[in-house]
Amino acid sequence: MNARPFPPLRAVAVAALVAGLAFGLACIAAAGLRAGTAAASHQLPPNAPAPAVSAAELAAQVDRGRALFTSSCSHCHGLDARGDEGPDLHGVQVSDRYIARVVRQGIRGEMPAFAKKHDAKDIAALIAFVRSLH
Amino acid sequence: MSASLWVDLHGAATHFPLALTICSLLCDVGGLLVGNREAARNLHGAGYWTIMLAAGGSAFAVASGLVMTRGEMLGAGSLRQHHVFVWPACTLLTGLATWRFLVGEIAPGPARVLYPLFAALAAALMIGAGYWGGEMMTAA
């Protein structure tokens, strides 16, 4: 092995370059995965047309969603939904249908399923609350 | 492939680079300390190959982690802490393996002593990453 005479200092430069390239490659792969996930979530068939909701009804739904969030979600996502064990939910780039599916089914090893605890009305309120976050 | 399979693969894959980096470090330190030249050469040889395998294993661990988290580079909470250790650890490990590949099994001159210090730093960072990865599992 030591028959290969490579100056140690030059080897440091090459090693730093390779390590930097590897990290850059990971960043590019991550960006590609994020873009693919975002696109896939928006390619899901649209929800049934939502009934027209007045501003007052929407505010009530957001309040209800906030209460449900505090009891079921804030343990992991933080009381302000800025993230703790779970991610920050402000400005999420996924569809309502995707959020509903994650709440119902959970993510194995990351997030529990809430299908037994929250019905469609609860989930709609939770989505309204998440959409109200800025 | 289902998301749960990637969770299992990532969990399995991460232990190899951690164990191999520590093993490589111990072999190289042993090579420095042992008096017998033949034994020292063998220990450095083992340190060389284990760091190569650790770097290869870390690439798979990172790839499976990225797929599992759908490209999350930092995240929040324990995941963020995990990543704060993961990225420096894997970058340093890749650099160490590349350097070792270039200079050979036995590092020349003072690098023979400096190299294990950096390998120890990489192992410490990987232990930190493993700790926060474990915290995520127990919190779930």
Side-chain angles (χ1 to χ4, degrees), chain B residues 37-61:
Chain B
R37 292 185 69 183
E38 181 66 24
R41 192 162 52 243
N42 288 338
L43 281 167
H44 284 304
Y48 174 91
W49 286 108
T50 44
I51 201 75
M52 295 299 153
L53 290 171
S58 76
F60 183 72

Side-chain angles (χ1 to χ4, degrees), chain B residues 25-123:
Chain B
L25 173 65
L26 292 175
C27 287
D28 281 321
V29 171
L32 283 176
L33 297 178
V34 75
N36 184 320
R37 292 185 69 183
E38 181 66 24
R41 192 162 52 243
N42 288 338
L43 281 167
H44 284 304
Y48 174 91
W49 286 108
T50 44
I51 201 75
M52 295 299 153
L53 290 171
S58 76
F60 183 72
V62 164
S64 60
L66 283 176
V67 173
M68 183 184 81
T69 60
R70 299 173 189 83
E72 187 64 78
M73 288 288 286
L74 208 52
S78 296
L79 181 62
R80 186 187 185 88
Q81 296 294 335
H82 177 64
H83 283 150
V84 162
F85 285 94
V86 161
W87 296 118
C90 290
T91 306
L92 181 57
L93 184 58
T94 305
L96 286 172
T98 306
W99 185 84
R100 197 73 187 272
F101 176 77
L102 293 171
V103 300
E105 289 183 3
I106 301 177
R112 201 175 300 178
V113 178
L114 281 174
Y115 170 85
L117 293 177
F118 282 100
L121 177 62

Side-chain angles (χ1 to χ4, degrees), chain A residues 2 4 6 8 15 34 84-85, chain B residues 71 76-78 95 99 101-103:
Chain A
N2 283 334
R4 244 178 333 204
F6 205 100
R34 282 197 303 274
D84 186 5
E85 297 292 331
Chain B
S78 296
W99 185 84
F101 176 77
L102 293 171
V103 300

Side-chain angles (χ1 to χ4, degrees), chain A:
Chain A
M1 278 296 162
N2 283 334
R4 244 178 333 204
F6 205 100
L9 282 178
R10 191 182 294 176
V12 168
V14 174
L17 182 66
V18 170
L21 284 173
F23 181 68
L25 191 64
C27 291
I28 291 167
L33 282 164
R34 282 197 303 274
T37 303
S41 73
H42 289 293
Q43 284 164 2
L44 290 168
N47 294 324
V53 179
S54 70
E57 284 172 331
L58 182 62
Q61 199 175 30
V62 168
D63 283 344
R64 184 157 175 273
R66 183 179 292 110
L68 292 169
F69 179 89
T70 303
S71 64
S72 294
C73 317
S74 63
H75 176 68
C76 292
H77 290 282
L79 273 171
D80 57 358
R82 284 285 176 194
D84 186 5
E85 297 292 331
D88 185 346
L89 297 177
H90 287 71
V92 287
Q93 298 285 310
V94 294
S95 65
D96 289 0
R97 184 183 163 94
Y98 181 82
I99 296 172
R101 191 174 68 186
V102 169
V103 172
R104 277 197 311 271
Q105 300 177 2
I107 302 171
R108 189 174 170 188
E110 294 179 44
M111 177 176 151
F114 288 92
K116 289 181 181 171
K117 188 174 180 183
H118 296 302
D119 59 16
K121 207 172 169 183
D122 285 354
I123 292 172
L126 281 166
I127 291 169
F129 169 66
V130 168
R131 294 294 180 213
S132 75
L133 297 170
H134 296 295

Side-chain angles (χ1 to χ4, degrees), chain B residues 14 16 21 24 43 45 60 68 88 107 111 123 128:
Chain B
T14 50
F16 288 100
T21 304
S24 175
L43 281 167
F60 183 72
M68 183 184 81

Side-chain angles (χ1 to χ4, degrees), chain A residues 85 109, chain B residues 77-79 81-82 128-140:
Chain A
E85 297 292 331
Chain B
S78 296
L79 181 62
Q81 296 294 335
H82 177 64
Y131 170 77
W132 286 108
E135 284 291 293
M136 273 189 284
M137 296 304 292
T138 53

